[in-house]
Amino acid sequence: MASHLLFLALIMISCSIVLASDSSPLQDFCVADSNGPVQVNGLACKDPKLVQATDFFFSGLNMIGNTSNAVGSRVTPVTVAQIPGLNTLGISMARVDFALWGINPPHTHPRATEIFTVLEGTIQVGFITSNPENRLFSKVLQTGDVFVFPEGLVHFQRNVGNCNAVAIVGLSSQNPGVITVANAVFGAKPDIPDDLLAKAFQVEVKVVDQIQSKF
Ligand SMILES: *[C@@H]1O[C@H](CO)[C@@H](O)[C@H](O)[C@H]1NC(C)=O
């Protein structure tokens, strides 16, 4: 009996393998064929014989993003949409520029963890955990500091220094996606009913109408 239990325990231990690394591609690369007719999860592979170095290349991340907008920041993405060679590789990046007091408003990447590096300036960052705690983790970062936003969690950044700021981020998906909370809730097309949002946010309908008019 005891030996049976030991055997069972050994099986349970050997079966509880945790996959903690990236999932492995099944070929060297699968450069996205954006014109291909096949619909798959991701993008179909271009014929490897037609693949060129330019399929793995992007230029211009040294350029300062235009921050003349309502929030005072600009994200320049470098995902599979810019580099077809990222298809199936589970990684991408972006440059984020901030004007004085510019913010990157609360948003989430439904498919990626983000690792954020300050190249220049002083940036306040934060993320909020899921219900019911909704705990805020926040920190002020200086040049060279690195911070992580775990996959799926709502997060934000703000330039709190006295000059423009710039960050480079890595993302654990070829196509991280972005859901900006305010845009999704108040800028949905067509509108989410204002009385529904009034109840959700515990404010009067006219407050919701005012916010919706900005998006
Ligand atoms: C930056 O964006 C603003 C607003 O869209 C535009 O008016 C301006 O010309 C842009 N500046 C540059 C240098 O592209």
Side-chain angles (χ1 to χ4, degrees):
M1 189 60 195
S3 67
H4 279 110
L5 283 176
L6 183 62
F7 183 64
L8 199 63
L10 282 174
I11 287 186
M12 285 169 73
I13 290 165
S14 62
C15 288
S16 63
I17 297 164
V18 176
L19 292 171
S21 68
D22 293 346
S23 57
S24 309
L26 303 175
Q27 61 275 306
D28 282 351
F29 51 74
C30 168
V31 172
D33 177 7
S34 51
N35 301 317
V38 184
Q39 301 289 315
V40 292
N41 182 26
L43 295 153
C45 308
K46 188 171 167 176
D47 180 348
K49 290 190 284 298
L50 303 177
V51 167
Q52 305 288 335
T54 50
D55 288 317
F56 303 95
F57 175 78
F58 174 87
S59 181
L61 219 56
N62 59 320
M63 305 289 282
I64 299 171
N66 186 342
T67 58
S68 299
N69 53 54
V71 292
S73 74
R74 173 71 59 182
V75 177
T76 307
V78 187
T79 69
V80 72
Q82 287 75 35
I83 303 185
L86 281 178
N87 191 37
T88 74
L89 295 182
I91 194 168
S92 61
M93 66 187 298
R95 171 182 174 130
V96 193
D97 286 281
F98 297 87
L100 279 180
W101 293 102
I103 65 161
N104 190 3
H107 64 280
T108 167
H109 305 292
R111 292 176 286 276
T113 290
E114 172 174 339
I115 185 162
F116 182 98
T117 310
V118 181
L119 290 192
E120 202 177 294
T122 304
I123 301 175
Q124 177 185 27
V125 298
F127 69 81
I128 304 97
T129 66
S130 52
N131 298 347
E133 289 81 8
N134 300 133
R135 181 172 167 201
L136 170 66
F137 288 83
S138 184
K139 197 156 174 52
V140 173
L141 308 180
Q142 309 293 343
T143 299
D145 289 352
V146 178
F147 197 80
V148 173
F149 305 109
E151 180 165 341
L153 299 188
V154 172
H155 57 281
F156 59 84
Q157 298 111 27
R158 173 166 68 167
N159 181 3
V160 292
N162 49 23
C163 55
N164 292 347
V166 57
I168 294 286
V169 312
L171 295 141
S172 62
S173 169
Q174 68 179 41
N175 181 25
V178 187
I179 300 169
T180 302
V181 176
N183 300 24
V185 174
F186 294 105
K189 297 178 198 72
D191 280 344
I192 298 174
D194 55 2
D195 58 320
L196 184 158
L197 291 180
K199 194 172 275 188
F201 285 86
Q202 298 285 293
V203 295
E204 291 181 27
V205 172
K206 65 175 189 239
V207 176
V208 171
D209 293 344
Q210 190 193 352
I211 302 175
Q212 281 180 326
S213 73
K214 308 272 183 192
F215 291 87

